[in-house]
Amino acid sequence: MADKPKKGLADVVAASTALSDIDGQAGRLFYRGYDIHDLAGRTTFEETAHLLQYGSLPTGEQLAAYGTELVRGRKLGALAEANIPEITEKQAPMEALRTLVSLAAGDDPDKDSNSPEANLRKAARLTAQQPILVARYHAARTGTTIAEPDPELSIAANFLLQITGRTPGEHEVGIFDACLVLHADHTMNASTFAARVCAATLSDMHSAIVAAIGTLKGPLHGGANEQVMRTLESLDPSAVAQSVRDRLAAGEKIMGFGHRVYKTEDPRATHLRKMSQELAEASGDDKYYRMSKEMEEVVFETKGLYPNVDFYAATVYHYLGIPTDLFTPVFSVSRMSGWTAHVIEQHADNRLIRPDSEYIGERDQKWKPIAER
C-alpha cells in the first residue's frame, strides 16, 4: 500500500536550492552558507539582496554597480503610476501590491525575456520598486506627497523617510535595514513555493512574484505580525498575563508563537527582541515592549512555545512609525530579494513542478439522464 500523503507536504522536499537553509533543531538560518547571526547588523540589505540574486556577497565595486542598478530601476512605469490612485481607493494594501506588481510587468523592458541576464535586471527593478509601491500607496490613501527617493540613501532609509515624512536617525535605519536582512529569505515557505511553481511553467518573473504576493496575503502566511500588534493594542497593560492565560484556556491562538520548522527559538526573533527593546527605550515609551515580554513568558510557561519572527517584528515596526496594516507589505519589501532569487534559480535548472495527488472521491458512478436524477 502506498504511503499516505503528508498533509500540507510536511517534510516533503519540493526543490533543491542553494539560497537558504534551516536547522530547525538548533534554531539556525543560513543564506548561501552564511549564518543569519553573522549577517544581521553587519551586512546591508543591498548586500544581502546581491548575495541571494548573484550568489555572493559583493565587493565594493560590485555593490556600487548594484546600487546604481537599484537607483535606476526604482522609477515606476506609466501603467503603475497612472493606476495608483484608483487602486488605492478600491484595494487593501496587499491586494494593491498584487495589482501594481502585475501592472509593472507591462512597463518592464525585459518583460518578454527569461534569460539569466534579463532575470537579474528584473530582480533588481522589483527589489527597488517594491518599497516605492508601498510608500506611494500609503501616500495616496493619506493624501500626502512623499519625498522623492534620495539616490544617496539606502532602501531602508528611503522607505522610512517616505513612510514617516521625517529623516530617520542612523540607529533607526540600522535597525530597519537589519529587519530587511532577517526577512529576506526562508527556504520553501508558502509564498516562495508558489513563486517557484509559477516560474517552473516558464512563466515570467513578474507573474511568479504576483503568485508569491497573493500567497503572502493569506492570513496563515502573512499578516501574523499585524495580528500581534492588534492583540497588544487590545490588552490591558496591567492584566497582560491573565488575559493571555484566559485566551489560551479558551482555545484561542496567540499569533507570533511557534513555528512549523523551528523546534527552539526562531533565530530571527533573537535579533528582533533586542531591536524592540532598544527602540522602546529610545522612544521613552516601552509599554508595548514590556507587554510583549510578559506575553512571551506566559505563552512559554503555558504552552512551551517560543516567539517566531512575527512576534517582535510587530513592536519594532510600530516603534519605527510604520502603520500596522503595512506590516505585511513591508515583509514583501524584504522578501522580494529572496522571491526573485528563487525564480532565477528555478529558471536556471528547470523542471515543471507537478506533484501527484491522492483521489478520495466516489468511484464507479453511473450516469443517469437528468429526469432520473
Side-chain angles (χ1 to χ4, degrees), residues 92-108:
M94 288 301 291
E95 296 170 338
L97 288 177
R98 179 193 62 203
T99 305
L100 289 167
V101 169
S102 186
L103 288 172
D107 293 318
D108 197 291

Side-chain angles (χ1 to χ4, degrees), residues 11-24 28-34 36 52 181-196 212 221 259-262 266-268 331 335 337-343 345:
D11 302 319
V12 174
V13 175
S16 297
T17 181
L19 292 170
S20 61
D21 187 31
I22 293 170
D23 181 340
R28 300 182 73 188
L29 169 63
F30 304 87
Y31 295 166
R32 291 197 182 271
Y34 292 93
I36 196 67
L52 293 171
V181 170
L182 290 169
H183 287 85
D185 197 48
H186 205 243
T187 69
M188 206 57 58
N189 58 85
S191 56
T192 297
F193 184 56
R196 290 192 75 132
H221 184 22
H259 197 281
R260 186 147 153 179
V261 177
Y262 295 112
D266 184 328
R268 299 166 297 177
F331 189 114
R335 189 56 58 86
S337 60
W339 287 335
T340 52
H342 276 275
V343 173
E345 186 177 62

Side-chain angles (χ1 to χ4, degrees), residues 96-290:
L97 288 177
R98 179 193 62 203
T99 305
L100 289 167
V101 169
S102 186
L103 288 172
D107 293 318
D108 197 291
D110 290 306
K111 68 183 182 69
D112 295 322
S113 175
N114 283 341
S115 73
E117 297 78 15
N119 273 344
L120 282 168
R121 290 191 294 268
K122 285 188 282 190
R125 289 187 201 107
L126 282 159
T127 301
Q129 288 174 9
Q130 194 69 0
I132 306 298
L133 290 174
V134 176
R136 290 292 304 278
Y137 173 88
H138 183 57
R141 70 177 180 175
T142 55
T144 56
T145 301
I146 59 174
E148 284 299 311
D150 184 338
E152 299 301 317
L153 295 181
S154 65
I155 286 175
N158 267 313
F159 183 77
L160 290 178
L161 171 62
Q162 292 190 318
I163 287 294
T164 66
R166 60 176 179 81
T167 302
E170 186 177 335
H171 187 229
E172 291 176 300
V173 171
I175 282 181
F176 186 54
D177 192 74
C179 285
L180 296 178
V181 170
L182 290 169
H183 287 85
D185 197 48
H186 205 243
T187 69
M188 206 57 58
N189 58 85
S191 56
T192 297
F193 184 56
R196 290 192 75 132
V197 170
C198 183
T201 70
L202 294 184
S203 190
D204 64 288
M205 182 176 283
H206 282 80
S207 293
I209 299 307
V210 169
I213 292 173
T215 306
L216 184 64
K217 176 180 175 290
L220 291 185
H221 184 22
N225 47 18
E226 178 180 342
Q227 292 308 311
V228 169
M229 199 65 227
R230 303 290 186 203
T231 299
L232 286 168
E233 291 169 339
S234 73
L235 295 175
D236 178 349
S238 65
V240 171
Q242 190 57 52
S243 295
V244 172
R245 290 192 184 96
D246 289 345
R247 293 185 185 200
L248 290 172
E252 291 185 33
K253 180 178 175 62
I254 304 294
M255 300 301 288
F257 290 93
H259 197 281
R260 186 147 153 179
V261 177
Y262 295 112
K263 307 307 177 187
T264 183
E265 179 167 286
D266 184 328
R268 299 166 297 177
T270 306
H271 292 271
L272 289 160
R273 181 191 294 107
K274 183 173 182 291
M275 295 175 190
S276 178
Q277 181 180 9
E278 290 177 2
L279 289 170
E281 291 172 352
S283 74
D285 180 7
D286 66 352
K287 178 180 74 172
Y288 287 126
Y289 171 73
R290 286 187 291 103

Side-chain angles (χ1 to χ4, degrees), residues 35-104:
D35 193 311
I36 196 67
H37 293 314
D38 202 27
L39 296 177
R42 295 177 173 179
T43 306
T44 66
F45 176 58
E46 285 81 356
E47 290 176 273
T48 303
H50 187 283
L51 170 66
L52 293 171
Q53 293 167 359
Y54 283 84
S56 64
L57 285 173
T59 63
E61 186 177 336
Q62 289 170 332
L63 183 59
Y66 184 61
T68 299
E69 192 169 7
L70 290 173
V71 170
R72 187 167 53 236
R74 66 172 48 135
K75 182 173 174 55
L76 301 183
L79 271 176
E81 189 77 57
N83 285 280
I84 286 174
E86 186 174 1
I87 287 170
T88 301
E89 183 181 336
K90 296 181 178 179
Q91 294 188 315
M94 288 301 291
E95 296 170 338
L97 288 177
R98 179 193 62 203
T99 305
L100 289 167
V101 169
S102 186
L103 288 172

Side-chain angles (χ1 to χ4, degrees), residues 354-372:
R354 204 289 191 188
D356 206 347
S357 60
E358 178 193 31
Y359 179 71
I360 59 171
E362 299 287 345
R363 295 187 184 276
D364 301 321
Q365 297 277 66
K366 301 299 182 183
W367 178 87
K368 293 180 181 179
I370 193 166
E372 298 176 21

Side-chain angles (χ1 to χ4, degrees), residues 313-331:
T315 46
V316 168
Y317 292 163
H318 171 77
Y319 285 123
L320 288 172
I322 298 170
T324 302
D325 68 346
L326 293 186
F327 287 2
T328 304
V330 168
F331 189 114

